[in-house]
Amino acid sequence: MKYIDEFRDGALARHIAACIAAEVKPDHQYRFMEFCGGHTHAISRYGVLELLPPNVRMIHGPGCPVCVLPIGRVDLAIQLALQHDVILCTYGDTMRVPASPLPTAGPPQGGGAPLGGRAPQATRGSTESMSLTKAKARGGDIRMVYSAADALQLARANPEKQVVFFAIGFETTTPPTALVIRDAAREGLQNFSVMCSHVLTPPAIRAILDGGRPSAGPPQAGSAPLGGSDHCEAGERGGDCSHETAEIEGFVGPAHVSIIIGSDPYAKFATEYQKPVVIAGFEPLDVLQAILMLVRQVNEGRAEVENEFIRAVTPQGNLNAQALMDEIFELREAFEWRGLGTMPLSALRIRDKYQAYDAEHRFGLAYQAVPDNKACECGAILRGVKEPRDCKIFGTVCTPENPVGSCMVSSEGACAAHYTYGRFRDVQPPTPCAASRLPPLSPSAGGGRHLRPGEAGSSVPLVGASAVLER
Amino acid sequence: MCLAIPALLVELLPDDQAMVNLGGIRKQISVALVAGVQVGDYVIVHVGHAIGTIDPEEAAHTLALFAEMAALSPDHTPAETTT
């Protein structure tokens, strides 16, 4: 397809990679973060890592809306579907995000899981986590929609039912939500509301740069939504320092988020933090070119915002969409992000003027934070301090079919992308002849023990299988 | 989640709707979020809404830059000899 195929040309990709290899300084370790899940997915799917020199490391960022959605928000959506008898509509990505387990039987809980004994099926007690998919199996009327407009259409078609759209996403996905709220208000629909969980990109980048510590700027909720992080002083740090983040030298900036917000909002990361930002499209050539531009900035000691995705991103962004978002939404004082913690002014809520369409107001929902599964490393992975392979349950207990953590749910989550495209890179298959040259294992051999072909626990069963065939 | 694809706008419809062609597939989308789009434009479609447009000149410029880089590439045989 036009404007897609040209940007996936393998020969050109190798040429850009050759330029990167020629220009990197061999004694320098380059550490760049691709903020967006879309880039994470492209890097894994097209094997971009294989084309990069070993001293260029890409760190996956938190720009995956499903991945940063905290358990407590999904619990609220499940509560709506199972206890308020609404038709709950949501994007497909949200359906399998793990939520709280249904609580055990016993006395009514105070401060326990938000699903606290209220669902009729909850009396047996279970440690199995819920999800919207499982809530649907328990009779919740939960519908997967392609567009927010589909949810509005369901409300028009079902006037006897309350229809709630569980809206998630970054700035890319926010304007369509604003549009349905505007249209519902114009039509005076009485049975439609939105549970708004939209989050903002600049505050998340700032959190990464601030070491995960929320900035101590005074909350100014209610101001323009796109002002997200502008109220916080650079380098000002407050709150608990429990969210260590990775050291980053530059960012591959979001593609489609930037179509909406423009390239201007990233300027502060170049000027205040001295970090280069290169906005890039989601195709593999875009990503490689952005990495080359970042390498050049680092080599030349520059920190600027550059725009590789200039075919779609302007400095000001989509002003129409911004005006609509500003009409409908305002900044929340604080919002909990999975992995990054609670950050001030990092998400949106529906303005009082449109309160009638705010599901949290209509159904009196109260958010309750819920800790992640202890074995899950999603938090550290979202902050760039760990990789999927560092997680004990990656690929064993936690798989795309049965995700424990949110990073395994969406195809653009770091864990799902690595599971689908990259996990075999972690395996160093010993060749039969190399293995035969190994000295026999002795108790004093210490570390660095190699698994031999066919040895129990070897993750390279094919080698053992071929040995069997040779016999 | 933020994924979007460029599609050719083939017909403008009432109520801020439009028909696009996505590699041969026709689909109705909303153009309420973008100002002044016309038939023949490539719009970027996300969850059933056009959120922006492709600037054909800038796209050609970016591709020309890639081609130029290929011509100047330090090693015309690809990556295996360069890493």
Side-chain angles (χ1 to χ4, degrees), chain B residues 11-36:
Chain B
E11 189 184 355
L12 283 168
L13 303 170
D15 300 326
D16 283 336
Q17 298 291 298
M19 191 65 74
V20 293
N21 184 322
L22 277 164
I25 296 167
R26 285 166 67 88
K27 178 157 179 57
Q28 188 174 324
I29 63 155
S30 161
V31 289
L33 296 171
V34 284

Side-chain angles (χ1 to χ4, degrees), chain A residues 281-357:
Chain A
F282 279 149
E283 300 304 332
L285 292 192
D286 292 321
V287 179
L288 279 164
Q289 175 68 14
I291 293 169
L292 177 62
M293 290 162 82
L294 283 171
V295 166
R296 287 177 176 165
Q297 286 207 40
V298 169
N299 287 353
E300 294 162 18
R302 290 183 290 127
E304 297 166 9
V305 177
E306 293 181 306
N307 183 4
E308 186 279 337
F309 198 32
I310 198 160
R311 63 186 183 277
V313 171
T314 61
Q316 293 79 30
N318 182 337
L319 297 174
N320 256 15
Q322 289 174 24
L324 183 65
M325 286 158 70
D326 191 30
E327 163 72 17
I328 306 290
F329 298 113
E330 61 187 13
L331 290 169
R332 278 182 197 265
E333 285 91 351
F335 191 82
E336 187 193 0
W337 293 52
R338 195 177 287 217
L340 295 175
T342 299
M343 291 194 283
L345 311 175
S346 62
L348 300 176
R349 69 161 172 245
I350 297 166
R351 286 188 187 276
D352 286 350
K353 186 179 168 189
Y354 293 93
Q355 206 172 53
Y357 302 95

Side-chain angles (χ1 to χ4, degrees), chain A residues 102-446:
Chain A
L102 285 177
T104 51
Q109 301 177 9
L115 295 172
R118 281 166 287 189
Q121 297 88 344
T123 49
R124 282 282 176 267
S126 161
T127 54
E128 188 194 5
S129 35
M130 282 294 283
S131 66
L132 285 167
T133 303
K134 289 175 187 168
K136 186 177 168 76
R138 287 169 182 265
D141 192 346
I142 297 168
R143 317 268 183 106
M144 200 168 88
V145 292
Y146 164 63
S147 165
D150 295 344
L152 188 63
Q153 192 52 40
L154 271 171
R156 294 186 188 115
N158 296 278
E160 76 292 352
K161 292 277 284 188
Q162 285 292 325
V163 175
V164 179
F165 178 53
F166 179 25
I168 70 158
F170 282 88
E171 292 91 336
T172 321
T173 316
T174 309
T177 306
L179 204 56
V180 287
I181 294 174
R182 185 201 71 180
D183 289 351
R186 280 184 181 172
E187 294 174 33
L189 275 184
Q190 301 294 310
N191 66 325
F192 180 76
S193 56
V194 171
M195 191 178 124
C196 175
S197 304
H198 286 299
V199 288
L200 300 169
T201 301
I205 295 182
R206 189 181 286 275
I208 300 274
L209 290 170
D210 279 342
R213 284 155 284 214
S215 298
Q220 294 185 19
S223 49
L226 293 171
S229 63
D230 287 346
H231 311 287
C232 312
E233 292 299 314
E236 205 173 24
R237 292 168 181 184
D240 296 329
C241 45
S242 54
H243 295 96
E244 181 201 355
T245 56
E247 198 65 40
I248 310 288
E249 228 173 353
F251 289 88
V252 176
H256 298 142
V257 161
S258 306
I259 292 177
I260 303 292
I261 70 173
S263 58
D264 285 348
Y266 306 101
K268 53 185 167 281
F269 303 119
T271 54
E272 293 176 18
Y273 290 85
Q274 290 295 301
K275 299 291 180 189
V277 179
V278 179
I279 294 160
F282 279 149
E283 300 304 332
L285 292 192
D286 292 321
V287 179
L288 279 164
Q289 175 68 14
I291 293 169
L292 177 62
M293 290 162 82
L294 283 171
V295 166
R296 287 177 176 165
Q297 286 207 40
V298 169
N299 287 353
E300 294 162 18
R302 290 183 290 127
E304 297 166 9
V305 177
E306 293 181 306
N307 183 4
E308 186 279 337
F309 198 32
I310 198 160
R311 63 186 183 277
V313 171
T314 61
Q316 293 79 30
N318 182 337
L319 297 174
N320 256 15
Q322 289 174 24
L324 183 65
M325 286 158 70
D326 191 30
E327 163 72 17
I328 306 290
F329 298 113
E330 61 187 13
L331 290 169
R332 278 182 197 265
E333 285 91 351
F335 191 82
E336 187 193 0
W337 293 52
R338 195 177 287 217
L340 295 175
T342 299
M343 291 194 283
L345 311 175
S346 62
L348 300 176
R349 69 161 172 245
I350 297 166
R351 286 188 187 276
D352 286 350
K353 186 179 168 189
Y354 293 93
Q355 206 172 53
Y357 302 95
D358 185 345
E360 287 173 68
H361 179 259
R362 176 172 290 183
F363 298 97
L365 303 178
Y367 178 75
Q368 195 166 17
V370 179
D372 286 329
N373 187 311
K374 279 184 195 146
C376 173
E377 296 282 10
C378 276
I381 291 167
L382 287 166
R383 296 190 303 277
V385 292
K386 288 199 176 176
E387 294 184 42
R389 61 170 159 251
D390 299 328
C391 179
K392 282 193 297 259
I393 57 173
F394 171 81
T396 53
V397 177
C398 183
T399 61
E401 292 75 33
N402 185 24
V404 174
S406 52
C407 299
M408 193 58 103
V409 175
S410 166
S411 62
E412 60 196 53
C415 292
H418 187 63
Y419 185 90
T420 308
Y421 302 110
R423 69 188 194 274
F424 300 110
R425 266 204 311 274
D426 297 343
V427 177
Q428 298 293 328
T431 60
C433 53
S436 67
R437 288 199 301 271
L438 287 174
L441 289 166
S442 69
S444 60

Side-chain angles (χ1 to χ4, degrees), chain A residues 1-4 6-7 12 14-19 21-22 38 51-53 65-66 91 93 146-149 168-170 172-173 175-176 179 182 256-257 259-260 282 285-286 289 292 308-312 318 320-321 324 412, chain B residues 1-6 16 22-24 27 29-30 32-35 42 44-63 65-67 69-80 82-83:
Chain A
M1 284 193 285
K2 193 165 167 66
Y3 297 122
I4 294 182
E6 308 94 297
F7 293 90
L12 280 178
R14 289 187 192 92
H15 285 304
I16 301 175
C19 288
L51 292 173
L52 295 178
V66 165
Y91 292 123
D93 286 16
Y146 164 63
S147 165
I168 70 158
F170 282 88
T172 321
T173 316
L179 204 56
R182 185 201 71 180
H256 298 142
V257 161
I259 292 177
I260 303 292
F282 279 149
L285 292 192
D286 292 321
Q289 175 68 14
L292 177 62
E308 186 279 337
F309 198 32
I310 198 160
R311 63 186 183 277
N318 182 337
N320 256 15
L324 183 65
E412 60 196 53
Chain B
M1 182 80 208
C2 286
L3 294 184
I5 30 177
D16 283 336
L22 277 164
K27 178 157 179 57
I29 63 155
S30 161
L33 296 171
V34 284
Y42 272 83
I44 297 170
V45 182
H46 173 66
V47 297
H49 294 75
I51 57 166
T53 50
I54 296 268
D55 182 330
E57 283 179 24
E58 291 293 0
H61 182 247
T62 302
L63 287 169
L65 187 76
F66 292 155
M69 202 175 325
L72 296 173
S73 174
D75 190 337
H76 275 267
T77 43
E80 55 265 24
T82 59
T83 50

